[in-house]
Amino acid sequence: MKRVFLGVTGASGAVYAKDLIEKLPAHGCELHLCITPDALTNINLELNKNYASPKDFLSDIGAEAALYDHKNFAAPVSSGSFRVDSYIVAPASMGFVGRAAGGISSNLIERCADVAMKERRKLVILFREMPLNLIHLENMALLTRAGAVILPAAPAFYHNPSEISELISFVTGKIFDIIEIEHNLYKRWGEKPESV
């Protein structure tokens, strides 16, 4: 069973976090989760909810995860000796990107990104921002050189999506490809429709 850490920051894109929270355990992963207060604000705004805490959010969607407070630096995932197969930050704010690129760990998600890079483990950063300034680009280049995979929240359209859920699943599927989880969340280029 793969052990995956998912950090949810205050960027727009709560639908991506929700999809990952639901699908990672469904695909056999042990999910470790941290949701910042700003992320919870966006979850409430973008999903039209009024959750008082990340625990309420998890309970409402029926998701199973080890949930950590964003300021809990004693959490198991904060140490490189705690084996995590893959780390995902989705959605990732540009504030997170800047702090992670600078080696700053002001919360648990930033610490986990630092651990992923120092331990040479998979780190996927799904950013949601546009347009990008030079500082954003240079920070992402730094993170790429440090081993992170930078993935924009930019779904493809060649599979002729007819619903928003298909666009979300495409992005989730690309993350699954990077962290090597088998799935059929989208139709791959060149595949016949019946193989999906």
Side-chain angles (χ1 to χ4, degrees):
M1 175 180 286
K2 285 183 183 280
R3 182 180 283 165
V4 178
F5 172 81
L6 172 62
V8 185
T9 75
S12 180
V15 291
Y16 295 113
K18 180 177 181 285
D19 202 50
L20 286 161
I21 291 167
E22 292 171 336
K23 288 184 174 144
L24 282 163
H27 284 79
C29 294
E30 176 186 309
L31 179 59
H32 294 256
L33 177 66
C34 182
I35 298 172
T36 67
D38 287 338
L40 185 64
T41 297
N42 271 353
I43 287 167
N44 283 330
L45 286 170
E46 295 179 6
L47 303 182
N48 197 26
K49 298 289 184 178
N50 193 27
Y51 300 120
S53 70
K55 188 175 179 181
D56 294 339
F57 170 51
L58 284 185
S59 177
D60 186 47
I61 65 174
E64 290 188 23
L67 182 63
Y68 306 104
D69 183 85
H70 73 293
K71 289 296 185 183
N72 182 6
F73 285 90
V77 291
S78 71
S79 173
S81 66
F82 185 78
R83 297 293 302 181
V84 174
D85 297 294
S86 300
Y87 299 76
I88 304 165
V89 181
S93 68
M94 283 301 141
F96 161 81
V97 167
R99 288 185 293 277
I104 298 166
S105 297
S106 66
N107 66 34
L108 183 60
I109 297 172
E110 293 160 11
R111 170 60 184 165
C112 285
D114 192 35
V115 168
M117 290 183 285
K118 79 182 183 71
E119 299 289 334
R120 308 298 192 265
R121 297 180 188 156
K122 290 183 181 175
L123 171 61
V124 179
I125 299 173
L126 178 77
F127 76 90
R128 216 308 306 154
E129 185 68 75
M130 69 165 71
L132 297 169
N133 66 38
L134 183 59
I135 295 168
H136 299 153
L137 293 167
E138 289 182 345
N139 284 336
M140 287 190 282
L142 275 172
L143 289 167
T144 299
R145 287 194 293 273
V149 176
I150 306 297
L151 198 155
F157 292 88
Y158 62 76
H159 59 301
N160 297 313
S162 59
E163 298 178 0
I164 290 176
S165 63
E166 294 174 85
L167 298 173
I168 296 165
S169 287
F170 183 90
V171 173
T172 298
K174 292 300 285 185
I175 293 171
F176 279 21
D177 286 347
I178 293 164
I179 65 173
E180 299 177 3
I181 294 175
E182 289 297 321
H183 68 89
N184 62 350
L185 296 175
Y186 66 88
K187 183 176 74 113
R188 297 179 185 282
W189 182 258
E191 283 185 349
K192 295 179 182 176
E194 55 269 18
S195 66
V196 174

